[in-house]
Amino acid sequence: MEQVESEVPPLPPRFRFRDLLLGDQSFQNDDRVQVEFYVNENTFKERLKLFFIKNQRSSLRIRVFNFSLKLLTCLLYIIRVVTDNPGQGANGSQSAEQQNWNGSVQDKEINWELIFWVDRKVPVWAIQVIVAIISFLETMLLMYLSYKGNIWEQIFQVSFLLEMINTVPFIITIFWPSIRNIFIPVFLNCWLAKCALENMINDVHRAIQRTNSAMFNQVLILICTLLCLVFTGTCGIQHLERAGKNLSLFNSFYFCIVTFSTVGFGDVTPRIWPSQLLVVIMICVALVVLPLQFEELIYLWMERQKSGGNYSRHRAQTEKHVVLCVSALKIDLLMDFLNEFYAHPRLQDYYVVILCPTEMDLQVRRVLQIPLWSQRVIYLQGSVLKDQDLLRAKMDDAEACFILSSRNEVDRMAADHQTILRAWAVKDFAPNCPLYVQILKPENKFHVKFADHVVCEEEFKYAMLALNCVCPATSTLVTLLVHTSRGQEGQQSPEQWQRMYGCCSGNEVYHIRLSDSKFFGEYNGKSFTYASFHAHKKYGVCLIGIKREDNKSILLNPGPRHIMAATDTCYYINITKEENSAFIFNQEERKGRPAGGIYDGPSQLPVHSIIASMGTVAMDLQNTSPPDASGGKLVPPTVNGTGGRRPSIAPVQELADSSLILPCDLLSDQSEDDSVFTDEKGHSSTEYVKGYPPNSPYIGSSPTLCHLLAEKAPFCCLRLDQGCRHNSFEDAKAYGFKNKLIIVSAETAGNGLYNFIVPLRAYYRPRKELNPIVLLLDNPPDNHFLEAICCFPMVYYMAGTIDNLDSLLQCGIIYADNLVVVDKESTMSAEEDYMADAKTIVNVQTMFRLFPSLSIITELTHPSNMRFMQFRAKDCYSLALSKLEKKERDKGSNLAFMFRLPFAAGRVFSISMLDTLLYQSFVKDYMILIARLLLGLDTTPGSGYLCAMKVTEEDLWISTYGRLFQKLCSSSAEIPIGIYRTESHIFSTSEVRAQKGCCKSQVSVSADDCEDTKDRGDESRNNDQSDHPLLRKKSMQWARRLSKKSVRWQGVNRDSSKDHAQRIAQQRLNLYRRSEREELSELVRNRMRHLGLPTSGYDEQNDHQNTLSYVLINPSPDTRLELNDIVYLIRSDPLAHVPEEPPVHSSSLKERHESSIDTREDTQL
């Protein structure tokens, strides 16, 4: 073995990696043989073929040269015709003009010598001979190079025959001078020029590696064919008529144009039969060739209409455009995008290029033909995954690319995968193009983290549904904020609530730098709370957040400890942005204003009204003089006519004292209850801790400080309807919850449900106000999801559906305040798109009848289906709102559906409404972050959160929204942004008549069993029984059955039969008077008894059908507060500023922190 190893030669140094790194040059002079490799055979023929045919650039030069030769021959023919003298033939024949021609010339009188012989000048002949020789040699060479074994196939090609006809005779005249003037149809070279042009275009495409439009090529071929037909006819008729009428070249051209255009004036006509025969032949050729060309052109045109053609490179370089990439373009999605995108004035000159792989449907085609959109919207059929289609859309020159997911797909995960690939393809093709991506599933969000803006649908959907349970109509509030509106909706309505609601819906979020702002410029160096209150008092704008110059994070209500700086970016809610506002002062106010400027003091700026429009807002500010210095406080009204007074509202301090800011929302003098919280079973509050959830269900979820269990709950304890070894509870009643339940009905336990739980278990929610959460799932959850939720307190699940009454009763629906119905993915497979919501709508309508006091929050796929929620066929008021919606839509409103009562009350929303959030981020890049902060999806240190509080009778002394703003800012540093108002709805006389039959049957009546109907006989007797034919018929059938059974007992004794008859009559009367509401109540009670559930909890209440609710965003300061108004607040972060104190025991710090957070109350002012 050692000998073998010794015989192995060492590795040469040139192959050693070390020597290559060190640059060893000692072996560079070794003997080496240079080998030249050829792609083609190294023969003379192959080299010629490479030069003339295979090589694109050299072949292109040959084509251009050949095309030039053909055009030169045609030009020489025209010169020969112009210089021709028909009177001087080759044999000195007599001129045709010397003959006396009549209208019809006989065949024997045709001078054939004028047809076969022409007068060709020597220079022209010499040039034509040279051209003919070159063309002949080139043709023979190409024939030799392209020879493939069949010589006859090449000989009988039309192009070869034409070349021989036009070149060989000229070559023969060199050796036979007597036939130098023989006629040769050189004008046929125009067809060879056409073939050379086609080949030249193909070589151009090969040489530059770019494909031109097939439509352009076909149009060029058609034009060349027409020119060749006209040129051939003109030259042929002119030459043949030398023996006839002797037409000039122009007259022949005139005749061909008139003939081919089917006009046929008849002033110029051929006189001899050869020219007439040529006309017939040319017409036949045109009838065969031109229709084929037109057919191909029309086919390409139709295909281009389907694919959309290309976006012009010149337009892309001179105009701005954005690209919209979708899987399937629906009319609703298109109109939402166009209306929202073009609602901004600075985007009016932008073009929208739609890139979609499917063919444009009829509705979209009809809309894009409207002049408003046809000049600005371009539809291209193509795939984002193809660079060729991205080049057609000029993606590299686009200002932005919007990639939307197809939410109508049954498999949303597959739809997300397609979106991810599209985003990757765009980023690879145009890395500098800003990307705006919409994703459906939160677990797929990290794949498109590189995008400039990402909106995850399920994150926003579940967060809004969760906040709807604690802050009513949060979905309506956010939807109105992210929609562009003029605030003109409903202004022509006779009802006050519609005018107020429509005007306040025009408020949006804007931003401005503090140093550039007239709204906030004077508050430089003041506290945030002071600036927010006084800006609202003077200008009616609501300052909600700021962003430091040295920090990219936006802070909502950073609190009074934040001092405004000139470099801060201010975010505010207003009817329009400050740049579109004009400040108008009265003449006497101008004179009285000091010269130092309008912002020298907070009390020197008088104004009188606010005029809002989309273009410019003229603002005349009200007198904002400070309160009387003697009192320093607002004087509230006396109580019960006595001298006792409530504390007045303290002024908002410019620089707040930390000791004066309450750690909670105490707006009264009552003290908080600081007792330790215990749950219903006696467990101490030590079971709950504050921390970050240990198990996130997906990558990319924002960490949020939450209330957590000290120890994770076993999976078996999460099942609500089944007992385990840890507890024996099998229904919601057994748990004895103190707070009302929140039930969520979903198809599967997706990761998005995690975002429903987190906002409801956030650390700033008081522990004593945490609502139990029950997940009613069609399909049981997997262990991965249970692992994520087992750390949260009072979160349970149960397998069941909302169309099963037993499932609803077991999960505790009678103990719930809110039922959230999430749209199901399986319904997306409906043949008709708008039928995807059918099952959800009908199930919700059933629950609305069974449990009228329950607040049902529903998500729908299509916003247009909101009109079916809580549907009443004879509700004239709903019909009036439908007409109002149509009027607003005709006026071009983007929020035509806003007046639907379920949407205004926050009972229904569609996630497609949030598509505008992605569109708005193109102009307002901060909108997505602000929406996430409001919904609790992100928790930035120092940023506040959205909450709500209710106005009670004790708080009505505050009187107006402006005074409430001051009260909140001065006491608890909270910023109100709107009001959720509920009003009693009064029907008109006509409406009462129309609903007399249908509405009375739906009134909720308190009843424990059927026997209670006797006590309500007087009330039911007032109903018009003729309005309930079905109920009367059903009751009569039951009465007949009872009467038949009673016949058996006749004859026992008359007294007993009389008593029995009276009982039967009473039962018949009770059944006759029984309403639909009572039947539904009895159905629910029977099911509860069957399941072993106590019926005492089934408390029927009024379904509030005579009330309506709506949202007022940033109302004016003089808006009157009403009883039961719910005020939306942005409360500052409790953990943002922890005061520094001397070292104390950790237990006391913890107790203080717990008491400062857990003792908050959201229900009292």
Side-chain angles (χ1 to χ4, degrees):
M1 186 67 183
E2 295 178 357
Q3 295 179 355
V4 174
E5 292 180 355
S6 62
E7 294 177 357
V8 177
L11 188 66
R14 60 184 176 184
F15 294 105
R16 295 175 187 169
F17 185 72
R18 175 176 174 275
D19 295 335
L20 292 177
L21 291 179
L22 296 177
D24 189 1
Q25 304 293 331
S26 60
F27 292 91
Q28 289 187 359
N29 297 324
D30 293 345
D31 296 336
R32 298 181 183 180
V33 178
Q34 183 177 2
V35 180
E36 184 178 358
F37 297 94
Y38 292 93
V39 178
N40 302 283
E41 296 181 6
N42 192 11
T43 62
F44 180 72
K45 179 179 179 181
E46 290 298 330
R47 289 179 178 272
L48 290 177
K49 186 182 294 186
L50 178 64
F51 181 79
F52 282 91
I53 299 176
K54 294 183 179 181
N55 187 276
Q56 293 92 349
R57 298 189 179 276
S58 60
S59 175
L60 177 61
R61 297 188 186 100
I62 299 299
R63 305 289 188 188
V64 172
F65 178 72
N66 192 18
F67 178 71
S68 303
L69 285 181
K70 304 309 175 186
L71 291 182
L72 179 59
T73 56
C74 294
L75 180 61
L76 291 175
Y77 180 83
I78 295 176
I79 294 174
R80 199 273 307 164
V81 172
V82 173
T83 60
D84 183 24
N85 183 10
Q88 300 294 329
N91 299 323
S93 58
Q94 187 180 10
S95 174
E97 293 179 349
Q98 298 176 1
Q99 301 180 10
N100 185 14
W101 297 98
N102 52 19
S104 60
V105 181
Q106 303 296 329
D107 293 350
K108 60 182 180 180
E109 298 176 349
I110 297 176
N111 190 351
W112 293 100
E113 293 183 357
L114 295 178
I115 296 178
F116 291 108
W117 302 96
V118 295
D119 183 15
R120 184 178 289 113
K121 302 298 187 289
V122 176
V124 176
W125 171 80
I127 298 175
Q128 286 183 333
V129 168
I130 295 174
V131 173
I133 293 174
I134 296 174
S135 298
F136 178 79
L137 294 177
E138 179 189 6
T139 302
M140 299 306 295
L141 178 61
L142 293 177
M143 180 180 177
Y144 165 72
L145 296 177
S146 60
Y147 173 70
K148 296 181 180 179
N150 190 349
I151 188 64
W152 298 107
E153 181 181 355
Q154 292 181 319
I155 290 177
F156 288 103
Q157 287 183 356
V158 176
S159 59
F160 181 78
L161 294 177
L162 289 178
E163 285 284 2
M164 295 299 103
I165 292 174
N166 289 288
T167 57
V168 173
F170 281 109
I171 297 175
I172 295 176
T173 58
I174 299 175
F175 308 99
W176 196 352
S178 60
I179 62 171
R180 191 188 67 181
N181 289 331
I182 192 173
F183 171 73
I184 301 173
V186 183
F187 57 82
L188 295 179
N189 277 321
C190 65
W191 295 98
L192 297 176
K194 172 180 172 292
C195 296
L197 180 61
E198 295 179 11
N199 296 330
M200 184 174 64
I201 293 176
N202 295 333
D203 288 337
V204 168
H205 292 167
R206 289 196 305 163
I208 64 177
Q209 296 296 322
R210 288 179 61 182
T211 303
N212 207 343
S213 172
M215 188 72 184
F216 170 79
N217 294 344
Q218 192 60 35
V219 170
L220 184 62
I221 292 173
L222 178 61
I223 293 174
C224 292
T225 303
L226 289 174
L227 291 177
C228 290
L229 285 173
V230 172
F231 185 73
T232 302
T234 299
C235 295
I237 293 173
Q238 185 274 335
H239 177 71
L240 293 177
E241 283 296 319
R242 295 174 78 249
K245 194 178 179 180
N246 193 15
L247 295 176
S248 64
L249 197 62
F250 177 79
N251 288 335
S252 298
F253 174 74
Y254 169 76
F255 168 76
C256 290
I257 293 297
V258 170
T259 302
F260 287 145
S261 62
T262 68
V263 177
F265 291 118
D267 52 345
V268 178
T269 57
R271 298 298 180 89
I272 58 177
W273 69 265
S275 57
Q276 294 173 351
L277 179 61
L278 178 62
V279 172
V280 172
I281 295 174
M282 295 302 299
I283 291 177
C284 293
V285 172
L287 291 177
V288 173
V289 175
L290 293 182
L292 296 177
Q293 299 288 341
F294 278 111
E295 180 184 5
E296 185 70 19
L297 183 62
I298 293 173
Y299 173 78
L300 291 176
W301 174 261
M302 294 176 64
E303 291 298 321
R304 182 179 180 180
Q305 289 296 104
K306 295 179 182 179
S307 63
N310 298 333
Y311 184 68
S312 170
R313 171 66 65 177
H314 173 72
R315 179 182 292 178
Q317 295 175 351
T318 56
E319 304 288 347
K320 296 180 179 180
H321 76 286
V322 298
V323 181
L324 175 64
C325 303
V326 291
S327 297
L329 186 62
K330 301 296 183 180
I331 186 64
D332 294 337
L333 185 146
L334 175 64
M335 296 312 300
D336 287 344
F337 179 83
L338 295 180
N339 289 330
E340 184 62 35
F341 185 80
Y342 285 112
H344 301 276
R346 75 181 185 90
L347 301 182
Q348 298 302 312
D349 296 333
Y350 278 64
Y351 286 86
V352 174
V353 179
I354 302 173
L355 187 59
C356 181
T358 60
E359 185 179 350
M360 190 182 348
D361 61 13
L362 294 178
Q363 287 184 328
V364 174
R365 188 184 303 275
R366 198 175 298 119
V367 168
L368 294 185
Q369 290 175 350
I370 299 175
L372 178 62
W373 309 121
S374 61
Q375 303 298 325
R376 298 189 288 183
V377 182
I378 301 169
Y379 187 94
L380 303 181
Q381 183 179 354
S383 174
V384 183
L385 302 184
K386 296 181 180 179
D387 288 351
Q388 189 176 16
D389 292 330
L390 294 177
L391 185 62
R392 292 170 53 206
K394 305 302 181 291
M395 184 68 73
D396 50 344
D397 294 326
E399 299 294 322
C401 176
F402 295 88
I403 302 178
L404 305 184
S405 296
S406 178
R407 65 167 55 91
N408 295 327
E409 294 289 338
V410 177
D411 189 355
R412 296 196 177 188
M413 188 64 71
D416 272 352
H417 294 167
Q418 297 174 12
T419 302
I420 293 169
L421 286 183
R422 291 190 180 98
W424 290 353
V426 173
K427 196 65 177 178
D428 177 70
F429 182 84
N432 297 325
C433 180
L435 270 180
Y436 297 77
V437 182
Q438 179 194 67
I439 211 78
L440 300 180
K441 295 287 187 179
E443 55 266 31
N444 296 321
K445 191 173 63 172
F446 78 100
H447 289 295
V448 291
K449 191 176 181 180
F450 58 85
D452 298 80
H453 298 278
V454 179
V455 172
C456 181
E457 180 178 294
E458 286 197 0
E459 277 188 340
F460 281 91
K461 175 176 71 176
Y462 283 106
M464 281 205 307
L465 291 173
L467 283 185
N468 263 11
C469 299
V470 293
C471 300
T474 301
S475 58
T476 303
L477 173 70
V478 175
T479 301
L480 296 178
L481 280 177
V482 301
H483 273 77
T484 300
S485 171
R486 300 181 180 180
Q488 301 297 321
E489 287 82 1
Q491 297 308 302
Q492 305 299 324
S493 174
E495 300 200 27
Q496 176 67 21
W497 79 269
Q498 293 177 359
R499 295 194 297 271
M500 291 181 58
Y501 175 51
C503 180
C504 292
S505 68
N507 284 277
E508 298 180 48
V509 181
Y510 301 98
H511 76 292
I512 193 171
R513 189 180 176 90
L514 181 71
S515 58
D516 301 332
S517 173
K518 291 185 179 180
F519 285 161
F520 315 111
E522 61 179 310
Y523 307 117
N524 185 16
K526 306 295 194 310
S527 67
F528 175 85
T529 309
Y530 181 85
S532 180
F533 165 67
H534 283 280
H536 183 268
K537 183 178 180 182
K538 292 182 179 181
Y539 308 103
V541 300
C542 181
L543 178 64
I544 62 173
I546 59 95
K547 182 176 70 173
R548 288 288 194 185
E549 186 180 23
D550 55 350
N551 192 354
K552 296 182 179 180
S553 300
I554 297 177
L555 303 179
L556 298 182
N557 187 13
R561 298 175 180 87
H562 177 85
I563 305 302
M564 306 293 290
T567 57
D568 287 352
T569 300
C570 303
Y571 298 92
Y572 61 96
I573 298 176
N574 194 24
I575 198 70
T576 188
K577 59 183 179 179
E578 181 181 335
E579 292 83 351
N580 294 341
S581 304
F583 301 88
I584 304 174
F585 299 89
N586 296 331
Q587 294 294 331
E588 58 274 11
E589 292 170 347
R590 289 196 185 96
K591 296 178 181 179
R593 195 169 59 229
I598 61 175
Y599 295 123
D600 291 342
S603 61
Q604 302 298 325
L605 186 61
V607 270
H608 69 271
S609 65
I610 297 177
I611 306 171
S613 66
M614 195 59 187
T616 300
V617 174
M619 310 183 73
D620 293 348
L621 308 180
Q622 297 178 355
N623 188 5
T624 56
S625 57
D628 188 6
S630 61
K633 297 181 180 180
L634 298 176
V635 180
T638 59
V639 181
N640 296 329
T642 63
R645 298 177 182 271
R646 295 188 183 184
S648 60
I649 302 176
V652 182
Q653 301 296 324
E654 293 185 8
L655 298 176
D657 186 359
S658 300
S659 61
L660 300 179
I661 302 299
L662 300 179
C664 53
D665 55 324
L666 298 178
L667 300 185
S668 62
D669 293 335
Q670 299 177 358
S671 62
E672 285 286 334
D673 183 12
D674 296 333
S675 61
V676 178
F677 173 72
T678 58
D679 62 11
E680 63 281 353
K681 296 301 179 183
H683 300 290
S684 65
S685 61
T686 56
E687 289 188 353
Y688 295 171
V689 296
K690 291 183 176 66
Y692 294 97
N695 298 312
S696 176
Y698 60 91
I699 301 175
S701 61
S702 179
T704 303
L705 191 64
C706 299
H707 293 287
L708 302 176
L709 295 172
E711 296 181 359
K712 293 183 179 180
F715 290 173
C716 58
C717 295
L718 299 179
R719 186 72 183 260
L720 181 71
D721 57 336
Q722 291 184 1
C724 62
R725 61 186 179 88
H726 304 94
N727 63 65
S728 59
F729 305 144
E730 295 185 353
D731 57 74
K733 178 65 176 178
Y735 283 87
F737 297 119
K738 289 186 177 182
N739 295 333
K740 291 289 187 178
L741 275 67
I742 296 176
I743 302 176
V744 185
S745 174
E747 186 175 19
T748 57
N751 293 329
L753 275 174
Y754 178 80
N755 295 294
F756 183 90
I757 299 173
V758 168
L760 298 178
R761 293 294 180 266
Y763 72 96
Y764 45 76
R765 306 286 178 197
R767 270 186 285 181
K768 60 183 178 181
E769 296 182 4
L770 296 182
N771 298 91
I773 301 174
V774 179
L775 307 179
L776 184 61
L777 306 174
D778 293 2
N779 303 313
D782 54 10
N783 291 335
H784 177 68
F785 179 77
L786 295 178
E787 183 69 25
I789 68 171
C790 66
C791 59
F792 294 103
M794 293 188 295
V795 177
Y796 308 92
Y797 79 93
M798 173 182 165
T801 59
I802 57 174
D803 54 0
N804 189 336
L805 182 58
D806 292 354
S807 299
L808 292 174
L809 294 174
Q810 282 184 327
C811 71
I813 193 170
I814 61 175
Y815 309 110
D817 261 348
N818 295 277
L819 172 63
V820 178
V821 181
V822 182
D823 193 20
K824 299 182 179 181
E825 297 181 15
S826 60
T827 60
M828 298 297 177
S829 59
E831 295 182 0
E832 186 178 350
D833 291 340
Y834 292 92
M835 285 297 177
D837 298 322
K839 185 176 180 180
T840 302
I841 292 174
V842 175
N843 289 335
V844 171
Q845 183 74 356
T846 302
M847 288 185 291
F848 174 67
R849 297 293 183 88
L850 293 175
F851 310 99
S853 61
L854 183 65
S855 175
I856 305 175
I857 305 168
T858 312
E859 181 219 355
L860 298 180
T861 303
H862 302 282
S864 59
N865 288 333
M866 289 191 302
R867 64 184 186 274
F868 301 119
M869 300 303 299
Q870 302 179 7
F871 182 75
R872 299 184 181 95
K874 297 183 180 181
D875 190 350
C876 296
Y877 194 74
S878 296
L879 297 177
L881 292 178
S882 178
K883 294 179 180 179
L884 177 62
E885 178 181 344
K886 295 176 182 177
K887 291 181 181 178
E888 296 297 336
R889 185 180 292 108
D890 294 339
K891 293 179 181 178
S893 172
N894 300 339
L895 295 168
F897 52 81
M898 61 177 290
F899 293 103
R900 291 288 182 178
L901 295 182
F903 173 77
R907 303 297 177 84
V908 62
F909 87 104
S910 175
I911 192 61
S912 62
M913 299 174 184
L914 283 186
D915 289 347
T916 57
L917 179 62
L918 188 65
Y919 311 152
Q920 270 204 1
S921 60
F922 180 67
V923 177
K924 306 175 183 178
D925 55 356
Y926 49 84
M927 277 305 301
I928 294 178
L929 182 56
I930 288 180
R932 293 182 65 89
L933 291 174
L934 284 176
L935 297 177
L937 289 172
D938 290 338
T939 53
T940 304
S943 178
Y945 60 93
L946 182 66
C947 62
M949 59 172 51
K950 192 173 184 178
V951 177
T952 61
E953 291 184 358
E954 291 77 10
D955 307 312
L956 292 179
W957 65 272
I958 299 178
S959 181
T960 64
Y961 182 77
R963 288 165 54 83
L964 173 66
F965 208 117
Q966 180 181 357
K967 181 68 174 175
L968 293 171
C969 291
S970 61
S971 58
S972 58
E974 296 167 333
I975 306 299
I977 62 174
I979 297 175
Y980 178 73
R981 176 163 294 177
T982 301
E983 296 180 352
S984 298
H985 175 66
I986 302 176
F987 288 99
S988 62
T989 306
S990 60
E991 292 170 350
V992 172
R993 292 199 196 99
Q995 298 185 2
K996 185 178 180 181
C998 66
C999 291
K1000 286 187 177 181
S1001 64
Q1002 297 173 4
V1003 176
S1004 300
V1005 182
S1006 300
D1008 293 333
D1009 50 34
C1010 294
E1011 295 180 358
D1012 293 341
T1013 58
K1014 181 177 180 180
D1015 298 334
R1016 290 184 299 274
D1018 296 337
E1019 180 182 354
S1020 301
R1021 193 176 295 112
N1022 295 330
N1023 294 340
D1024 188 1
Q1025 302 296 341
S1026 61
D1027 293 336
H1028 306 279
L1030 295 178
L1031 292 177
R1032 186 175 68 251
K1033 182 178 180 180
K1034 189 174 183 180
S1035 301
M1036 294 300 292
Q1037 290 176 354
W1038 292 340
R1040 291 192 190 98
R1041 293 175 184 175
L1042 292 175
S1043 62
K1044 290 179 181 179
K1045 294 180 181 179
S1046 64
V1047 175
R1048 302 175 183 176
W1049 302 97
Q1050 292 179 1
V1052 177
N1053 56 59
R1054 293 185 178 276
D1055 295 337
S1056 60
S1057 62
K1058 182 179 297 184
D1059 295 339
H1060 189 71
Q1062 291 178 355
R1063 288 197 300 270
I1064 294 299
Q1066 184 62 38
Q1067 291 180 5
R1068 181 187 305 172
L1069 180 61
N1070 291 340
L1071 291 173
Y1072 186 69
R1073 293 172 177 172
R1074 192 176 186 181
S1075 66
E1076 176 186 334
R1077 176 67 256 155
E1078 292 170 339
E1079 290 184 13
L1080 295 176
S1081 301
E1082 186 63 22
L1083 173 64
V1084 175
R1085 294 179 186 280
N1086 289 336
R1087 295 311 305 166
M1088 294 178 68
R1089 296 190 188 100
H1090 177 74
L1091 296 173
L1093 301 175
T1095 60
S1096 58
Y1098 184 53
D1099 222 0
E1100 293 183 326
Q1101 300 177 4
N1102 195 341
D1103 60 352
H1104 304 291
Q1105 65 175 353
N1106 291 330
T1107 62
L1108 57 87
S1109 303
Y1110 54 94
V1111 176
L1112 299 177
I1113 303 177
N1114 188 29
S1116 61
D1118 56 352
T1119 301
R1120 304 288 299 183
L1121 295 179
E1122 296 183 3
L1123 184 63
N1124 296 325
D1125 278 352
I1126 296 178
V1127 182
Y1128 298 106
L1129 305 174
I1130 298 181
R1131 183 173 291 162
S1132 59
D1133 185 8
L1135 303 180
H1137 303 280
V1138 179
E1140 297 182 359
E1141 296 182 356
V1144 294
H1145 298 293
S1146 59
S1147 60
S1148 62
L1149 284 175
K1150 182 176 180 182
E1151 291 176 359
R1152 176 174 180 176
H1153 176 66
E1154 295 286 341
S1155 62
S1156 66
I1157 297 176
D1158 294 339
T1159 56
R1160 288 181 177 268
E1161 289 188 355
D1162 292 338
T1163 57
Q1164 298 292 332
L1165 288 173

